Every structure is written in structure tokens, then in C-alpha cells.
Amino acid sequence: MGLLGSLAMLVLVLLCFEQLPNVRAQSKRSEARALDVLLQEYAFRGFNAVPKTGTIYKGNALSNLTGIEITALRLRSGSLRRRGVPMYNEFQIPIGIKATPYVERLVLVYQNLANWSSRYYDLPNHTYLAPVLGLLAYDGSNLSATNLQELDINATGNPILVKFQDVKSAPDGAVAKCVWFDLQGSSNFSNVTGRNTCSTFQQGHFSIVVESTTAPGPVSPPSGPTPTPSAPGEKSNKKVWIIVGSVLGGLVLLALLSLLILWLRKYKQKKKMQGMERAAEAGEALHMASVGSTKAPAASVTRTQPTLEQEYAP
Ligand SMILES: *[C@@H]1O[C@H](CO)[C@@H](O)[C@H](O)[C@H]1NC(C)=O
Ligand SMILES: *[C@@H]1O[C@H](CO)[C@@H](O)[C@H](O)[C@H]1NC(C)=O
Ligand SMILES: *[C@@H]1O[C@H](CO)[C@@H](O)[C@H](O)[C@H]1NC(C)=O
Ligand SMILES: *[C@@H]1O[C@H](CO)[C@@H](O)[C@H](O)[C@H]1NC(C)=O
Ligand SMILES: *[C@@H]1O[C@H](CO)[C@@H](O)[C@H](O)[C@H]1NC(C)=O
Ligand SMILES: *[C@@H]1O[C@H](CO)[C@@H](O)[C@H](O)[C@H]1NC(C)=O
Ligand SMILES: *[C@@H]1O[C@H](CO)[C@@H](O)[C@H](O)[C@H]1NC(C)=O
């Protein structure tokens, strides 16, 4: 392996370590997206055979996700745009909502993640004062469809309002903030208005948070046991993998480093040998010069062989 090769590997390994938190965030994001897929399916199952448009249907509960609430609302796109939805649970949807691509009927799936909020939407150094609520739009033409892609919805006039109920009060001196997670997983903060209201021009997941201080203040944790002892196998498995990965990575790093050091040593020796060789050759040339124009082909044989020493080097 050449020096460049080793160096490239080293950089690669170091980069992997750098990316570890990123990878973790990404896996969180994909978990949340997998939950969206599941909740879409279960919300759609809550419709009866001929669901009325404009009626809110409660989705089937998932036995392994007790606490999460889902509902579905089927609407004509035109009606949504012209009339909005004055009250869809906590969401107040104004007129002027545009959905792309155009579908005749769409379904707005509502999610209340309750005590699962921080499990799926982990926000470092923040505490949830309200549950994470989701609002996602889907094509409503086939109610047994699964794995649906969300439609793109935008409020073209006034924003959609989210009026949270039962917001915990922020600890003294702390400022509550709205947080919005878009479907790509990035989050953004904005100001809370009227103590409990957030606004948005797009779909996604929403909540109210406060920055948590490390000092044990009167910060009340969100409802339920949030240190998430849930889904035990999965979580600890991931931890194990991270540890195993780190150890393996460390070993690889160590091996690469030793290789590099070995190689450098050899390289130095080689340089030294070459220097000696050159010196020997110079000596030979001198010697030959003193002999005159007579050729001395045996000269190279009398020269000490540097390769021997190199072979016995540690
Ligand atoms: C809950 O159950 C559903 C359906 O059985 C399954 O697809 C999903 O992965 C489960 N979720 C968790 C977090 O265990
Ligand atoms: C949320 O609460 C329900 C009971 O209401 C419980 O079964 C579930 O395990 C809790 N989820 C988490 C993540 O703690
Ligand atoms: C969270 O807070 C700790 C300690 O104050 C800090 O070291 C860390 O960088 C913070 N994390 C984020 C994502 O801001
Ligand atoms: C609706 O979706 C289901 C599940 O993907 C599929 O089996 C069915 O053929 C679809 N129906 C129509 C009318 O497209
Ligand atoms: C909605 O807004 C987003 C971001 O502002 C933009 O990228 C997207 O094209 C808009 N979609 C529509 C249908 O206007
Ligand atoms: C967050 O929101 C602010 C104000 O709405 C905006 O200027 C900024 O670009 C947003 N950042 C991201 C990452 O979306
Ligand atoms: C949010 O509130 C802070 C302080 O209360 C203020 O300085 C800031 O301009 C507000 N941001 C917006 C987008 O209204």
C-alpha cells in the first residue's frame, strides 16, 4: 500500500467518525418518516367504505404505539382552496391552500405523537412543552393505497395556524419557541403568538419547545416518561452497533497508523540506502578515475550490498 493510499484511508476513517452524529440524526429522520408511512396507512383505514368529505375520521390505533392519535379528513382540492378548514383538531387552515401535483380529492392526515414526541423528534437541548402534531397531505383517490408520497401543500395567503392545547408553561426566564420539522427532517424555530399558537405555510410536524438548561431547574418534562425506555430492542441494538462500529473503526485506525509508521520507517531506510549507494557509486567513480581508462567490471561486485542490512532491519 502506497503512502497516498494509506493517507486516503486514514482521511476516510476520520471522516466516518466525524459523520457519526450526522448518521444518527439521519436514522432518526428515517424512523420518523417510517412512522409517517405507517400512520398514513392506519389513518386511511379509519375511513369507512364511503367516507363523507369534510368529516373527520379517527384512525385505527396501533397497539404498539399507544398514545399516538391519528385522524383523517378527506376533501375536494377545490373546496380546500376556496373554503379552508376552520378547525381540524388544533389546525386552523385558511383559504388559499394549494396542493401540487393537482388531485381531485386529498386527505389531510393529522398526527398527535403525544408521549412519543421526543422519541421520534429528538431535539437536543430542548424540552417539549406540547406534543408534536403532524399535518400531512395525501392523494385521496385510493383509500386502500399505502406508501403514498405526500403532496406538496402551500398556504398562498394567510398561514396555517396551530393552536396547541394544554401548553406547559416555560420555566422562568426561558422563552418558548415554535419548532417546525419539514418532511426532509430539517427543523426551524419561530415565535409563539398568543401563548399557544404557531403558524406555518407548509405541512410537517409542529410543537412548542423551550431550550433546556443543564442546571436542574423546574423544567417539567413532556407528558409521560420521555427518557424513552420504549422499543427496547431497537434502541439498545443501535447503541451496541454504534459501540461495535466505534471499536472496529478504532482498530482499523490503529492498524492504518501502524502501517503508516512502518512504511515511513522503511521509506527512511530506503532513502538512507539510496544515499549510501550513491556514495558508493561516487567512490567507485573516483576509484575508476584513478585507474584510468581501464574498465573494471568487477568493481560493482566488491561494493557492499546494502540490501542485506535492509533485510535484517526490524
Ligand atoms: C408497530 O406495529 C406495526 C404493525 O404491526 C409495525 O409495522 C411497526 O413497525 C411497529 N412499530 C414499532 C415502533 O414497533
Ligand atoms: C406512552 O404512553 C402509553 C400509555 O398511555 C404507553 O403504553 C407507551 O409506552 C408510552 N410511550 C412512551 C414512548 O413512553
Ligand atoms: C447541547 O448542550 C451541550 C452543553 O451545553 C453542548 O455541548 C452541545 O453542543 C449542545 N448540543 C447542541 C446540538 O446544541
Ligand atoms: C388502490 O391501492 C391498492 C393498494 O396499493 C391497490 O391494490 C389497488 O389496486 C388500488 N386501487 C386502484 C383503483 O388504483
Ligand atoms: C411551496 O413552497 C416551497 C418553499 O417555499 C416551494 O419550494 C414550493 O415550490 C411551493 N409549492 C407550491 C405549490 O407553490
Ligand atoms: C428558518 O426560518 C427563517 C424565518 O422564517 C428563515 O429565514 C430561515 O431561512 C429558515 N431556515 C431554514 C433552515 O429553513
Ligand atoms: C421573535 O421574538 C423576538 C423577541 O421576542 C423578536 O426580537 C423577533 O423579532 C421575533 N421574530 C419574529 C420573526 O417575529
Side-chain angles (χ1 to χ4, degrees):
M1 195 180 347
L3 177 62
L4 272 179
S6 326
L7 271 180
M9 280 291 269
L10 204 87
V11 167
L12 218 81
V13 168
L14 285 178
L15 270 181
C16 283
F17 273 83
E18 196 97 306
Q19 293 297 309
L20 243 162
N22 225 342
V23 167
R24 217 156 30 215
Q26 226 145 41
S27 85
K28 265 276 182 244
R29 187 176 313 163
S30 63
E31 267 179 46
R33 290 302 282 150
L35 181 68
D36 286 340
V37 169
L38 195 67
L39 294 183
Q40 178 262 313
E41 184 185 336
Y42 277 72
F44 273 45
R45 281 196 210 168
F47 288 124
N48 53 24
V50 192
K52 286 209 286 208
T53 52
T55 301
I56 297 170
Y57 288 86
K58 216 165 151 43
N60 291 337
L62 281 88
S63 53
N64 56 358
L65 291 168
T66 324
I68 292 186
E69 255 179 65
I70 42 178
T71 66
L73 172 63
R74 192 162 177 247
L75 296 165
R76 288 178 164 274
S77 284
S79 150
L80 175 65
R81 186 158 71 235
R82 282 190 311 271
R83 279 184 264 172
V85 185
M87 217 18 126
Y88 181 27
N89 303 329
E90 288 92 336
F91 289 90
Q92 200 171 308
I93 302 169
I95 57 172
I97 300 287
K98 208 172 123 200
T100 41
Y102 175 80
V103 290
E104 197 184 342
R105 287 187 181 82
L106 49 73
V107 172
L108 294 176
V109 168
Y110 160 91
Q111 315 172 348
N112 182 336
L113 299 191
N115 58 341
W116 298 84
S117 297
S118 54
R119 161 92 171 77
Y120 283 99
Y121 291 88
D122 179 33
L123 206 53
N125 295 348
H126 287 81
T127 305
Y128 282 106
L129 299 179
V132 168
L133 303 180
L135 182 71
L136 302 175
Y138 297 95
D139 182 357
S141 61
N142 181 356
L143 297 180
S144 20
T146 54
N147 250 320
L148 279 178
Q149 190 75 28
E150 286 83 8
L151 301 168
D152 200 8
I153 59 168
N154 281 34
T156 56
N158 291 327
I160 298 169
L161 300 181
V162 196
K163 292 188 184 246
F164 291 89
Q165 294 158 1
D166 307 323
V167 182
K168 292 189 177 61
S169 52
D172 282 345
V175 180
K177 292 232 157 242
C178 294
V179 62
W180 164 50
F181 300 92
D182 68 15
L183 297 181
Q184 284 72 46
S186 41
S187 54
N188 204 348
F189 297 95
S190 61
N191 286 348
V192 178
T193 54
R195 236 191 62 77
N196 70 338
T197 305
C198 298
S199 60
T200 176
F201 286 91
Q202 288 179 53
Q203 63 194 328
H205 293 85
F206 310 88
S207 190
I208 293 179
V209 293
V210 68
E211 236 175 284
S212 43
T213 46
T214 39
V219 185
S220 53
S223 58
T226 32
T228 60
S230 54
E234 206 185 320
K235 188 124 193 178
S236 57
N237 250 352
K238 207 175 263 154
K239 249 189 200 145
V240 165
W241 277 116
I242 285 170
I243 290 168
V244 167
S246 304
V247 168
L248 279 182
L251 282 179
V252 167
L253 199 72
L254 214 75
L256 279 176
L257 264 175
S258 346
L259 268 178
L260 190 71
I261 288 168
L262 262 174
W263 193 89
L264 271 175
R265 262 195 184 173
K266 275 207 171 140
Y267 184 73
K268 256 192 182 157
Q269 243 162 27
K270 211 160 122 197
K271 264 270 156 76
K272 215 164 108 193
M273 292 301 160
Q274 273 171 357
M276 279 163 71
E277 239 174 73
R278 235 176 276 127
E281 262 160 26
E284 257 170 42
L286 252 159
H287 182 64
M288 295 225 316
S290 71
V291 170
S293 60
T294 344
K295 293 218 164 127
S300 65
V301 181
T302 59
R303 173 179 84 181
T304 43
Q305 292 290 334
T307 42
L308 270 176
E309 197 189 326
Q310 191 183 21
E311 259 166 42
Y312 287 112

